[in-house]
Amino acid sequence: MTESRSRDRARTEASIVAAAREVLAEDGFQGFGVNAVARRAGCDKQLIYRYFGGLDGLVDAIGADLAGWLESSLASESPPATYAELVERLILGFLEALRGNVLVQKIAAWEIAGPSPVVARLTAARGMALGRWMANTRGDLAPPPGLDAPALNIFLIAAVQQLVLSSSAAGSFSGVPLQSEADWERVKAAAVLIARRVYAEG
Amino acid sequence: MTESRSRDRARTEASIVAAAREVLAEDGFQGFGVNAVARRAGCDKQLIYRYFGGLDGLVDAIGADLAGWLESSLASESPPATYAELVERLILGFLEALRGNVLVQKIAAWEIAGPSPVVARLTAARGMALGRWMANTRGDLAPPPGLDAPALNIFLIAAVQQLVLSSSAAGSFSGVPLQSEADWERVKAAAVLIARRVYAEG
DNA sequence: TCCCTATATCACCGGCCGGTGATAAAAATA
DNA sequence: TATTTTTATCACCGGCCGGTGATATAGGGA
C-alpha cells in the first residue's frame, strides 16, 4: 500500500517551492538540497527533478516567487523633497525590508559564501529592483553635481546589508551589538546622518 | 611498506595548519573538513584529531596564526591631524588589508553564512583588533560632540567589508562593478568623501 | 468497462563525509 | 640489543548526499 499524495501537480509543485523556501530560510543554503526539500515537502525527491529539472530550476522558481518583494516593501507615500531625503528613504526602507525577510537574508549570505550562477541571478534581480525603485521615485531630483551618487549609494546599501546579515548571524558587528530595537535606532540614526551630510544642500 | 612521513611532530602540525589555511582560502568553508585538510597536508586525518582535538582546535590554531594581521596592515606613518583623517585612514586601511587577504575574507563570509562559536571567536578577535588600533592611533583626537562615532564607524566598516566580499564572490555589488582598480578608486573616493563630510569640522 | 497517461513512490547506486580502533614503524630508552 | 614511547597510517563504520531506473496507482477518455 503505497500512499500516494493528492495527485494534483500544480499543488505539489507549490508545496515543493514552499518547502524549499522554508528549508532555505530556516537552515540556510547549507543543508539545502534535494533530500532536505523533498523530506520537508513530504514527497519524493524525484519530483524535484521531474518538475523543476533539479535544484537550479527550483531556485529559479523561488526567485520568481520573490520578484517584487523590494518594490512592495519600499512603497513610499509622498514624493521626497530632496535627493538627501530620497536616499534616506531608500536606506531606511531597505534596512527594514531586509531585516524582515529572513529568506532574502539567506540568499544574500549564499551569494557571498558560495557564489553560483543561479544565486547570482537572484542577487542581480534584487539589485535591479533597487535601481528601478530609485528611478521611479526619484522624479526629477538629481544628486548634487560633482558627487558620484552610484558609488556613494551602494556604499550605504552595502553597509546596511552587512549589518543586517551580521546581526542575524552573530547579533553584533565588530563588537557593537545589533539586537535590540535601540541598537537599530542607533544604526538608523547613523545612516540618516550620513545621507544628510553627504547630500547636504548648498 | 607503509611510507611514514618525516616523523617530526612540530613540522607535521605546521603543515596541517598550512594546509587548512590553503583549503579555507581556496575553497571556502564549504568543503573545509578533516578529509580535505588531511588530503592537502598529505597525512592521515587521524593526526588532526590527535594534535588539534578536531576541526575546532584546528580553526583555533589558524586564529592564533592570524592574530596581529590587522595591526601590521594598518600601520600608520604619521599621527592623523583630525578625527576625520583618523577615520579615513581606518577605512582605507581596512579596505586594502581585507582586499589583500583572501583567508580573512573567507572567514568573514563563514561567520555570516554559517555562524559557529569557533568562527565567532575569530571574528571577535578581528573586531577587537580594529578597536585597539583605533584606541592606539587616536591619541587625544575626539569625534565632534553629538555624533555617535561607534555607530557611524561600524557603518563605514561594514560597507567596506560587504563590498570586498561581494567583489570577491561576484565581482560587483548591486549592479556596480567592483573589479578593476578604477572601480575601487570610485569606492575609496566615496568612502573618503563620506568620512570627511560626516566628521567635518565646525 | 478497459486502457492509457500523468502522477508519485521505491529501491538502489557510487561517493564523500566525520569518526574510531587496530596496526605498523621509527626513535628514544634501557 | 631488547623494550617502550612516539609518530603516523590503514581499514573500516554508519550516515547522508545527489542522481536514476523500475514500479505502482489514481483518474480521465475510449
XYZ file of all heavy atoms in Angstrom, chain D residues 8-19:
245
model
P 54.400 12.649 12.775
O 55.281 13.364 11.831
O 53.428 13.397 13.594
O 53.636 11.523 11.974
C 54.369 10.623 11.148
C 53.504 9.451 10.739
O 53.065 8.745 11.918
C 52.221 9.811 9.987
O 52.375 9.488 8.621
C 51.128 8.993 10.676
C 51.905 8.026 11.543
N 51.189 7.615 12.751
C 50.865 8.392 13.826
N 50.218 7.743 14.774
C 50.124 6.458 14.280
C 49.548 5.274 14.810
N 48.934 5.225 15.998
N 49.633 4.156 14.054
C 50.244 4.213 12.857
N 50.819 5.257 12.267
C 50.716 6.352 13.045
P 51.167 9.697 7.597
O 51.764 10.020 6.285
O 50.159 10.568 8.197
O 50.588 8.211 7.505
C 51.498 7.129 7.500
C 50.744 5.797 7.445
O 50.229 5.466 8.764
C 49.540 5.786 6.507
O 49.641 4.642 5.665
C 48.336 5.737 7.439
C 48.906 5.006 8.648
N 48.224 5.341 9.928
C 47.698 4.331 10.695
O 47.750 3.152 10.392
N 47.096 4.765 11.853
C 46.980 6.074 12.295
O 46.429 6.340 13.350
C 47.542 7.078 11.430
C 47.475 8.526 11.804
C 48.138 6.669 10.298
P 48.643 4.523 4.372
O 49.465 4.112 3.220
O 47.818 5.733 4.286
O 47.725 3.305 4.824
C 48.305 2.276 5.598
C 47.227 1.373 6.176
O 46.747 1.932 7.424
C 46.005 1.203 5.272
O 45.792 -0.183 5.058
C 44.867 1.862 6.043
C 45.347 1.776 7.489
N 44.828 2.865 8.369
C 44.186 2.553 9.572
O 44.040 1.366 9.898
N 43.729 3.574 10.364
C 43.916 4.838 9.984
N 43.451 5.795 10.786
C 44.574 5.166 8.760
C 45.009 4.165 7.987
P 44.749 -0.666 3.932
O 45.368 -1.829 3.270
O 44.310 0.504 3.130
O 43.512 -1.164 4.814
C 43.749 -1.707 6.107
C 42.422 -1.932 6.822
O 42.113 -0.782 7.659
C 41.224 -2.115 5.886
O 40.368 -3.106 6.426
C 40.581 -0.734 5.868
C 40.853 -0.239 7.281
N 40.941 1.214 7.403
C 41.438 2.104 6.480
N 41.391 3.348 6.870
C 40.825 3.294 8.134
C 40.509 4.275 9.078
N 40.719 5.574 8.884
N 39.946 3.874 10.253
C 39.735 2.559 10.437
N 39.989 1.532 9.618
C 40.544 1.981 8.473
P 39.083 -3.614 5.583
O 39.035 -5.077 5.774
O 39.135 -3.020 4.229
O 37.841 -2.988 6.351
C 37.786 -3.125 7.779
C 36.915 -2.060 8.375
O 37.531 -0.762 8.213
C 35.528 -1.906 7.738
O 34.565 -2.538 8.569
C 35.309 -0.396 7.662
C 36.505 0.182 8.407
N 36.936 1.503 7.896
C 36.731 2.640 8.680
O 36.192 2.514 9.786
N 37.118 3.847 8.214
C 37.697 3.942 7.003
N 38.070 5.147 6.599
C 37.913 2.796 6.193
C 37.523 1.609 6.665
P 33.058 -2.727 8.010
O 32.660 -4.095 8.430
O 33.013 -2.341 6.574
O 32.214 -1.666 8.826
C 32.410 -1.547 10.235
C 31.782 -0.250 10.715
O 32.664 0.856 10.393
C 30.457 0.051 10.016
O 29.380 -0.323 10.876
C 30.476 1.565 9.789
C 31.881 2.012 10.167
N 32.553 2.819 9.107
C 32.620 4.207 9.252
O 32.111 4.732 10.248
N 33.237 4.935 8.283
C 33.764 4.302 7.220
N 34.366 5.060 6.302
C 33.703 2.899 7.069
C 33.092 2.192 8.019
P 27.921 -0.485 10.251
O 27.183 -1.449 11.085
O 28.071 -0.705 8.794
O 27.281 0.952 10.454
C 27.420 1.597 11.712
C 26.940 3.033 11.599
O 27.897 3.796 10.818
C 25.591 3.173 10.871
O 24.825 4.168 11.538
C 25.983 3.570 9.461
C 27.261 4.376 9.696
N 28.194 4.320 8.573
C 28.540 3.212 7.825
N 29.403 3.477 6.886
C 29.648 4.840 7.011
C 30.490 5.697 6.262
O 31.224 5.404 5.314
N 30.442 7.007 6.727
C 29.668 7.431 7.774
N 29.752 8.728 8.065
N 28.873 6.648 8.487
C 28.911 5.369 8.049
P 23.390 4.608 10.971
O 22.571 5.001 12.129
O 22.933 3.556 10.017
O 23.709 5.923 10.127
C 24.496 6.949 10.726
C 24.571 8.137 9.795
O 25.629 7.928 8.827
C 23.288 8.349 8.990
O 22.935 9.720 9.006
C 23.654 7.868 7.592
C 25.143 8.163 7.530
N 25.869 7.288 6.613
C 25.755 5.918 6.505
N 26.532 5.409 5.589
C 27.194 6.501 5.054
C 28.168 6.564 4.024
O 28.643 5.641 3.357
N 28.582 7.868 3.793
C 28.113 8.977 4.465
N 28.621 10.151 4.100
N 27.210 8.932 5.428
C 26.799 7.665 5.669
P 21.484 10.181 8.695
O 21.046 11.003 9.838
O 20.721 8.981 8.252
O 21.631 11.134 7.428
C 22.491 12.264 7.503
C 23.045 12.549 6.126
O 23.821 11.411 5.686
C 21.978 12.745 5.043
O 21.873 14.133 4.730
C 22.495 11.936 3.842
C 23.869 11.458 4.281
N 24.210 10.111 3.774
C 25.226 9.978 2.814
O 25.807 10.986 2.403
N 25.536 8.736 2.352
C 24.884 7.661 2.814
N 25.229 6.464 2.332
C 23.849 7.779 3.792
C 23.545 9.007 4.237
P 20.876 14.617 3.601
O 20.527 16.017 3.929
O 19.816 13.593 3.462
O 21.753 14.621 2.266
C 22.981 15.348 2.244
C 23.745 15.038 0.967
O 24.241 13.685 1.031
C 22.871 15.060 -0.279
O 22.854 16.372 -0.808
C 23.613 14.106 -1.218
C 24.371 13.170 -0.283
N 23.895 11.762 -0.241
C 24.436 10.831 -1.131
O 25.285 11.207 -1.946
N 23.993 9.554 -1.071
C 23.073 9.198 -0.170
N 22.687 7.914 -0.136
C 22.522 10.133 0.743
C 22.947 11.391 0.663
P 21.700 16.813 -1.775
O 21.738 18.279 -1.862
O 20.475 16.117 -1.360
O 22.150 16.211 -3.178
C 23.355 16.667 -3.766
C 23.667 15.852 -5.008
O 23.729 14.457 -4.655
C 22.607 15.965 -6.103
O 23.257 16.052 -7.355
C 21.803 14.679 -5.950
C 22.871 13.703 -5.475
N 22.334 12.616 -4.650
C 21.541 12.747 -3.543
N 21.206 11.603 -3.000
C 21.818 10.662 -3.801
C 21.815 9.240 -3.709
O 21.254 8.527 -2.873
N 22.566 8.655 -4.730
C 23.234 9.358 -5.712
N 23.902 8.633 -6.618
N 23.252 10.676 -5.808
C 22.519 11.268 -4.823
P 22.370 16.307 -8.720
O 23.223 16.927 -9.757
O 21.112 16.950 -8.319
O 22.063 14.816 -9.194
C 23.162 13.935 -9.441
C 22.646 12.553 -9.861
O 22.236 11.818 -8.691
C 21.430 12.583 -10.805
O 21.772 11.877 -11.989
C 20.325 11.892 -10.015
C 21.122 11.030 -9.036
N 20.377 10.699 -7.811
C 19.798 11.573 -6.931
N 19.204 10.978 -5.928
C 19.408 9.625 -6.165
C 18.995 8.483 -5.421
O 18.351 8.449 -4.375
N 19.418 7.293 -6.015
C 20.141 7.212 -7.179
N 20.459 6.003 -7.605
N 20.533 8.279 -7.880
C 20.131 9.439 -7.319
